Amino acid sequence: MKPTHIEHIGIAVENLQEAIKYWEEVMGLKCYNIEEVADQKVKTAFLKIGEVKIELLEATSEDSPIAKFIEKKGAGVHHIAFAVEDTDTALEDAKNKGVHLIDEHSRKGAEELMIGFLHPKSTFGVLTEFCCKK
Ligand code: ZN
């Protein structure tokens, strides 16, 4: 398993509209998609910079992982997503190398991607996402 590129950087925000305003007006990027991912209890907004996307994440409920993250650490960089050929294979490969997984199997994410997370305890503090197109 070798990732091909950084697919996106996930950023936890308290208010999606305010964050979009910053990224559009100050950084000059364009939000091209807003999407709710119900099972993760988040609303996401996407902007593109070259090949890489910025994924803004706002919690839609108090028990959302994003709400818990912001409560503990405050808003900010949440995860880095690496594009792989097949998310399940990449997860299994990481597991075989002793990495603790959050997701044993891939699940549906935003932007028509299959996603899976590695535990930050095994990745030197970086919440790591693998993703591939369905
Ligand atoms: Zn992500």
Side-chain angles (χ1 to χ4, degrees):
M1 179 269 297
K2 193 178 168 196
T4 53
H5 59 281
I6 291 178
E7 215 278 339
H8 64 266
I9 297 170
I11 298 173
V13 302
E14 285 176 41
N15 183 303
L16 205 58
Q17 288 310 321
E18 281 175 23
I20 291 169
K21 202 165 176 273
Y22 161 77
W23 282 94
E24 290 194 329
E25 289 178 12
V26 180
M27 298 297 278
L29 303 179
K30 181 96 192 82
C31 174
Y32 67 90
N33 183 25
I34 292 181
E35 193 178 334
E36 191 164 334
V37 184
D39 65 313
Q40 287 172 74
K41 297 170 183 169
V42 291
K43 207 158 117 187
T44 62
F46 287 90
L47 308 96
K48 224 172 181 184
I49 172 162
E51 285 280 293
V52 182
K53 300 170 193 165
I54 302 290
E55 175 185 41
L56 304 175
L57 300 143
E58 180 193 71
T60 54
S61 122
E62 274 174 24
D63 61 342
S64 161
I66 292 300
K68 288 176 190 160
F69 177 86
I70 289 177
E71 201 180 295
K72 258 196 244 167
K73 298 187 174 179
V77 174
H78 179 258
H79 65 271
I80 298 178
F82 296 87
V84 294
E85 205 165 302
D86 180 76
T87 303
D88 281 303
T89 309
L91 289 171
E92 200 183 314
D93 193 31
K95 188 182 179 178
N96 290 338
K97 288 173 179 160
V99 172
H100 185 66
L101 305 181
I102 291 176
D103 299 304
E104 291 281 329
H105 303 286
S106 64
R107 53 192 164 96
K108 278 185 195 170
E111 297 266 283
E112 312 256 293
L113 296 172
M114 293 307 290
I115 67 167
F117 284 92
L118 309 183
H119 200 285
K121 274 184 188 161
S122 294
T123 59
F124 300 87
V126 179
L127 179 57
T128 299
E129 176 183 334
F130 287 147
C131 59
C132 68
K133 294 206 174 97
K134 276 180 220 171

